[in-house]
Amino acid sequence: MIDKTLNWFDDRLGTAKGGRSFLDKIFPDHWSFMLGEIALYSFIILLGTGVFLTLYYVPSAHEIVYHGSYVPLRGQNVSEAYGSTVGLSFDVRSGLLMRQAHHWAADIFLGAIAVHMARVFFTGAFRKPREFNWIVGVIMLILGILNGFLGYSLPDDLVSGTGIRIAFSIVESIPVVGSYLAFFLFGGNFPGSGVIIPRFYVIHVLIIPAILVGLLAAHLGLLIKQKHTQFPGKGRTEKNVVGSPMFPNFIAKTTGFLFMSFAVIFLLGGFAQINAIWQFGQYQPFQISYAVQPDWYMGWLDGAARIMPAWEWVGWGHTIPLEIFLPAVIFPGLIFNILIVWPFIESIWTKDHEYHNLLDRPRDRPKRTAAGAAMLTLLFGVFFASSTDVMANFFQLPLMDVLWFFRFFVPLAPIVAYFLTFKICNEMRVAEGIGKRKRALIVERSTEGEYTTTEAPVRPGDGHEEIDAIPVPTFIDTTDPSLATAAGVRRVIR
Amino acid sequence: MARISRRSIAARMAAPTALVGAVAIFGLVAFSSGPAQADTTTTTTASTATTPAPVAVDPTTVATPPGDVTATTDTTSTTGPTPTPYGVGATAGSPGAQPGSVQAEPSAVTALPSAEATAKAAAPSNQGGIYYPALPAAYIAPGQALFAANCSSCHGAEANGKDGVAPNLQRLGAGTVDFWVSTGRMPLANTSAQAIRKPPRFNRTQTLQIAAWVQSLTPGEGTQIPLVKTSGADLEQGNTLFTLNCAACHTISGAGDALMEGAYAPSLHLATTTQIVEAIRSGPGNMPHFGVGNIPNSEARDITAYVTEVLQHPNNSGGVGLGGIGPVGEGFVGLLIGVGLLMLVCFWIGDRS
């Protein structure tokens, strides 16, 4: 029966060949190669839960009177967007679980992208021929951040409304075109003419996800085409891929991982509250809550804006608000551009234009590792700077002291991190036996009282055994020798 | 391809698991108890400061003769925006706390009657759900003794303050005194920083005695001690008013936050109804004070009800509240527990050669 069905498809679509190479695809085995899959699986959850949410969410700034089951809001004028979000949280079965899982999945999606990206960076996996895939990844990161911002803005609650207000000012701060651009995006001066919510909605649920799906296909397609990178090791060369095949090994592993990701995200969605918008209330432009932060992936921009001194440039009848233009436009622009061009910078710098399928150990490229560590320190610095008020309150310190600490920490710490990492890498390269598990020492005392030390035998599991490569089955697409015109030329029978 | 035994997997997993787990647990604990810690208050405050508790009224044991202040007119029926003048005690008596005793004897006795009881007892001054019962005149003399022993070194024997040391308390009213003393902010722990909420040094009766004495210096002036009947309050109105007037500093969840110049807006999670109205009316520290023209009594009652009934018992549908501090706590959990846990899964099922 299965045979027949598969043959039916193969006869018409030729699925056997593609299926064979798919099932035989080799995945090098290392735990850090699976980080990207966290992002992939959270993205699947985002799509699924997101579709559920669109069934109940009303993308409209139109004012209604709330009559739902949350008592303190009853009788208040709220926008349909806010009212429907509170409604789907309280009055739709499993609505709150879906909303929270969606939100947690977004946080984890971007976190996984960041971790995956760090892995790719520190192991040099972005080098030729994979620069293009690195760029695709960076663009997905940017789009993911943007879509996260749009997504948490959709409920139209007090906290996210404050974020939209800041976004308006950021766009406005761009010289020359800023105010035109802001008016164009928001349909007039803030808070716009009620077009923000529907516009954000279309971009959030349609445009960016569509681009993301396309880029994801490109990302994975390139990965299959270019094959995986692998760590250097016995039997691993630039010309081969050593690992377990898709079927039956990897598929079991990755399916398990898929369900693990689902489990973690839905457990968080069920047991950890996120974005309790009913506690925040409807956004009103004249209201504000203190202690407002963006979601974590926007935090580094918020932090940069917080620690920036209040500078502005005034001339020829115009003002350029540097205090917001530099940290919120120039700074992220620089960061993302550095990320995109990094593979090319590095290949020019190192004059290395070779193909690389074997990965670097981070310690063997001390300058790159140090640069990455410096970048991460910078980003973590501004990220933590976005919670200056929470820290000041939590540790009972004066707010300005915390702020001034970050004003020095953010520019100085990356420099320290660079040299520290560089030094550590160099030390690790010359240290004996680093990265290997220490073997036990057996100390014995002889009858004369003399002590001798001998190394214990290798522990089971610490040693590496090579297994013979399993030959890939060749019964598909065998070439008929009689049809071969010349050696090496293969003619496929249609 | 490496083959790794289960034992070595467990060995290698142990360290990172323990680390991430410890950090994650620390994070959860720290953030979920954040607001309470920020105010350095223990649960004793909450239990001792719960004002409108049922009362044991004992008008017989008057420790001290009333004195000349009792001559003040009994204007308990005053309504409208003017503050109730300090009147002769009609509803409550003194349980006879030891004058001058600074050791806070945890006493279950609350000298003021509950709001409900007062409402039944001919409502001395019902102003939009807020009552201002008069303090018994018998409180004045022990109050003076307590004040002399505990407060006068800074505020002066006549409570008129000292330049550069402590403010003049005359004309501030019993409510102001009650707020500062009942929240434990006075006596001050540290003169160089904003007063922090801490377990109060005086029990309820002693606090009211001090307040009664300060009030007796300027009868009828300043903030009175309110009792709030929140049962009929309009929570929707309270929500709106809180967002408009309070959230800008105390945050929308009432968790409080750091402000400029070393000041901070304290958490409201331990405030009692009486303390909230006292704070609204007297504007302690950096807080602006709101008069009845700004926030009428009925609105103050709505805000109070919103704080004590909604913010102090938030609807945490959807799981652990994560401290009510928004995306900071959420990012912490999302990255450390969410991504961290999944990375451990990677580490578990992936190869580690």
Side-chain angles (χ1 to χ4, degrees):
Chain A
M1 179 64 206
I2 294 168
D3 254 18
K4 262 191 171 172
T5 317
L6 290 178
N7 280 333
W8 191 89
F9 277 107
D10 188 35
D11 289 347
R12 285 152 184 85
L13 301 170
T15 43
K17 189 185 163 201
R20 183 77 246 171
S21 60
F22 177 71
L23 293 182
D24 283 340
K25 181 169 167 46
I26 298 297
F27 288 85
D29 225 347
H30 191 265
W31 67 271
S32 69
F33 297 166
M34 306 187 77
L35 297 174
E37 282 168 50
I38 305 177
L40 178 65
Y41 298 143
S42 353
F43 186 66
I44 292 171
I45 293 185
L46 283 170
L47 293 180
T49 52
V51 168
F52 180 92
L53 296 177
T54 58
L55 302 178
Y56 299 98
Y57 173 76
V58 184
S60 159
H62 180 68
E63 269 207 352
I64 51 161
V65 177
Y66 178 79
H67 289 301
S69 53
Y70 185 64
V71 175
L73 279 174
R74 272 190 206 157
Q76 285 195 29
N77 284 343
V78 295
S79 67
E80 276 191 289
Y82 181 74
S84 61
T85 313
V86 176
L88 79 86
S89 305
F90 285 119
D91 302 322
V92 172
R93 196 175 298 262
S94 83
L96 185 57
L97 173 67
M98 288 294 181
R99 191 169 79 77
Q100 295 203 136
H102 191 74
H103 206 134
W104 283 120
D107 277 14
I108 290 173
F109 175 63
L110 286 154
I113 290 182
V115 180
H116 171 60
M117 200 167 174
R119 195 283 292 175
V120 169
F121 180 86
F122 285 116
T123 56
F126 56 83
R127 290 172 301 173
K128 187 179 174 181
R130 296 182 177 79
E131 301 99 328
F132 194 67
N133 224 8
W134 167 263
I135 294 170
V136 170
V138 175
I139 294 171
M140 284 202 286
L141 170 69
I142 299 170
L143 288 176
I145 291 175
L146 183 62
N147 219 26
F149 170 75
L150 296 176
Y152 73 66
S153 298
L154 286 179
D156 201 22
D157 60 288
L158 185 63
V159 174
S160 70
T162 312
I164 303 180
R165 180 72 190 87
I166 295 169
F168 182 83
S169 301
I170 289 172
V171 179
E172 228 182 358
S173 75
I174 301 169
V176 187
V177 296
S179 37
Y180 299 99
L181 200 59
F183 274 51
F184 169 71
L185 289 174
F186 287 76
N189 202 353
F190 190 83
S193 46
V195 299
I196 307 171
I197 295 292
R199 279 183 189 177
F200 277 18
Y201 180 69
V202 169
I203 301 173
H204 177 78
V205 306
L206 184 68
I207 299 176
I208 292 184
I211 301 174
L212 273 180
V213 168
L215 289 174
L216 189 64
H219 202 66
L220 298 179
L222 278 172
L223 176 133
I224 290 170
K225 172 123 183 62
Q226 296 174 334
K227 299 200 167 55
H228 279 276
T229 52
Q230 59 191 349
F231 276 112
K234 243 187 191 173
R236 295 171 186 174
T237 68
E238 293 280 6
K239 298 244 156 82
N240 67 4
V241 190
V242 180
S244 36
M246 181 73 173
F247 187 85
N249 304 35
F250 191 75
I251 195 124
K253 197 179 265 190
T254 198
T255 311
F257 196 35
L258 170 84
F259 290 125
M260 287 279 196
S261 308
F262 279 28
V264 167
I265 289 171
F266 275 96
L267 280 175
L268 279 175
F271 290 106
Q273 187 187 63
I274 189 163
N275 202 19
I277 53 152
W278 55 90
Q279 294 174 8
F280 305 152
Q282 163 75 42
Y283 177 64
Q284 303 285 356
F286 53 86
Q287 289 177 344
I288 185 137
S289 162
Y290 203 45
V292 169
Q293 272 84 17
D295 272 22
W296 79 266
Y297 41 85
M298 296 286 285
W300 58 291
L301 295 172
D302 184 67
R306 278 184 190 218
I307 59 170
M308 182 74 195
W311 295 339
E312 60 179 23
W313 181 87
V314 183
W316 296 302
H318 293 278
T319 304
I320 298 178
L322 297 174
E323 71 261 46
I324 194 77
F325 179 61
L326 288 184
V329 181
I330 296 294
F331 175 64
L334 266 179
I335 298 286
F336 287 133
N337 275 301
I338 290 174
L339 286 181
I340 286 176
V341 300
W342 180 271
F344 309 105
I345 295 177
E346 195 186 291
S347 84
I348 292 169
W349 182 269
T350 57
K351 298 187 181 66
D352 178 358
H353 302 289
E354 296 300 310
Y355 275 92
H356 290 285
N357 290 321
L358 285 181
L359 295 172
D360 290 328
R361 276 164 181 254
R363 77 181 86 119
D364 292 334
R365 293 281 180 275
K367 279 183 184 162
R368 180 207 293 148
T369 305
M375 175 67 102
L376 283 180
T377 312
L378 173 71
L379 292 177
F380 268 104
V382 282
F383 172 64
F384 282 115
S386 78
S387 54
T388 42
D389 57 330
V390 176
M391 279 186 208
N393 201 35
F394 192 75
F395 298 111
Q396 297 184 22
L397 294 166
L399 179 63
M400 288 310 282
D401 291 7
V402 179
L403 193 69
W404 273 102
F405 169 76
F406 278 106
R407 280 181 177 169
F408 285 100
F409 180 84
V410 166
L412 295 181
I415 300 171
V416 176
Y418 182 90
F419 288 107
L420 204 63
T421 315
F422 189 75
K423 182 77 184 154
I424 291 172
C425 286
N426 279 334
E427 292 291 325
M428 281 174 79
R429 287 166 78 191
V430 294
E432 194 70 34
I434 198 150
K436 297 200 177 77
R437 208 140 78 113
K438 278 185 188 142
R439 280 160 72 180
L441 293 176
I442 300 170
V443 181
E444 281 173 308
R445 200 179 85 158
S446 66
T447 44
E448 288 83 35
E450 185 193 16
Y451 288 94
T452 51
T453 311
T454 45
E455 265 195 354
V458 181
R459 290 206 210 173
D462 273 12
H464 286 249
E465 312 157 21
E466 291 301 320
I467 9 177
D468 293 331
I470 304 158
V472 175
T474 49
F475 54 84
I476 303 285
D477 201 25
T478 37
T479 45
D480 186 345
S482 63
L483 293 166
T485 47
V489 176
R490 201 171 64 169
R491 184 183 294 168
V492 178
I493 306 158
R494 197 186 287 274
Chain B
M1 190 185 159
R3 314 190 95 243
I4 289 178
S5 72
R6 288 194 72 82
R7 191 159 139 244
S8 87
I9 291 176
R12 284 158 193 234
M13 286 284 289
T17 315
L19 183 70
V20 174
V23 173
I25 288 165
F26 166 77
L28 260 186
V29 170
F31 276 100
S32 53
S33 61
Q37 285 185 359
D39 234 358
T40 64
T41 319
T42 54
T43 44
T44 42
T45 325
S47 59
T48 53
T50 316
T51 318
V55 218
V57 182
D58 184 7
T60 55
T61 52
V62 177
T64 332
D68 60 328
V69 235
T70 47
T72 340
T73 44
D74 184 356
T75 50
T76 47
S77 59
T78 309
T79 52
T82 41
T84 316
Y86 178 77
V88 181
T91 51
S94 163
Q98 305 301 314
S101 147
V102 288
Q103 292 304 316
E105 186 77 20
S107 161
V109 176
T110 319
L112 286 175
S114 72
E116 286 74 16
T118 319
K120 278 178 199 151
S125 52
N126 178 359
Q127 301 177 355
I130 298 181
Y131 303 87
Y132 294 99
L135 290 167
Y139 277 12
I140 294 167
Q144 182 169 19
L146 281 170
F147 190 93
N150 297 288
C151 320
S152 61
S153 60
C154 296
H155 288 286
E158 289 301 308
N160 53 359
K162 276 182 196 165
D163 277 349
V165 179
N168 185 351
L169 302 180
Q170 293 183 6
R171 299 168 178 277
L172 293 183
T176 311
V177 176
D178 179 45
F179 176 85
W180 286 90
V181 178
S182 70
T183 57
R185 290 188 166 85
M186 287 290 151
L188 200 55
N190 175 2
T191 50
S192 61
Q194 182 175 339
I196 52 167
R197 188 180 185 113
K198 56 184 188 293
R201 187 188 290 185
F202 305 101
N203 65 31
R204 190 78 196 119
T205 310
Q206 291 168 325
T207 306
L208 292 173
Q209 285 168 340
I210 298 171
W213 180 71
V214 174
Q215 182 71 74
S216 74
L217 299 171
T218 53
E221 292 192 57
T223 307
Q224 309 301 306
I225 300 176
L227 282 179
V228 190
K229 185 170 180 284
T230 54
S231 55
D234 182 351
L235 288 178
E236 299 91 272
Q237 170 94 328
N239 185 355
T240 310
L241 290 166
F242 182 87
T243 310
L244 197 58
N245 294 295
C246 320
C249 294
H250 289 287
T251 80
I252 196 73
S253 64
D257 204 359
L259 303 172
M260 300 299 280
E261 308 295 343
Y264 70 93
S267 163
L268 303 178
H269 290 163
L270 295 167
T272 65
T273 52
T274 295
Q275 287 164 354
I276 292 165
V277 176
E278 283 166 353
I280 292 172
R281 290 286 177 248
S282 66
N286 292 289
M287 181 170 157
H289 79 92
F290 300 84
V292 281
N294 252 332
I295 297 182
N297 274 323
S298 63
E299 296 188 359
R301 194 246 324 235
D302 295 340
I303 293 174
T304 305
Y306 181 70
V307 172
T308 53
E309 287 169 23
V310 178
L311 294 185
Q312 293 183 356
H313 307 282
N315 179 336
N316 277 337
S317 294
V320 186
L322 305 181
I325 51 169
V328 176
E330 292 162 6
F332 206 79
V333 172
L335 292 181
L336 275 173
I337 297 184
V339 179
L341 215 57
L342 287 172
M343 282 176 74
L344 281 178
V345 174
C346 285
F347 203 70
W348 176 30
I349 62 177
D351 198 60
R352 288 173 290 279
S353 56

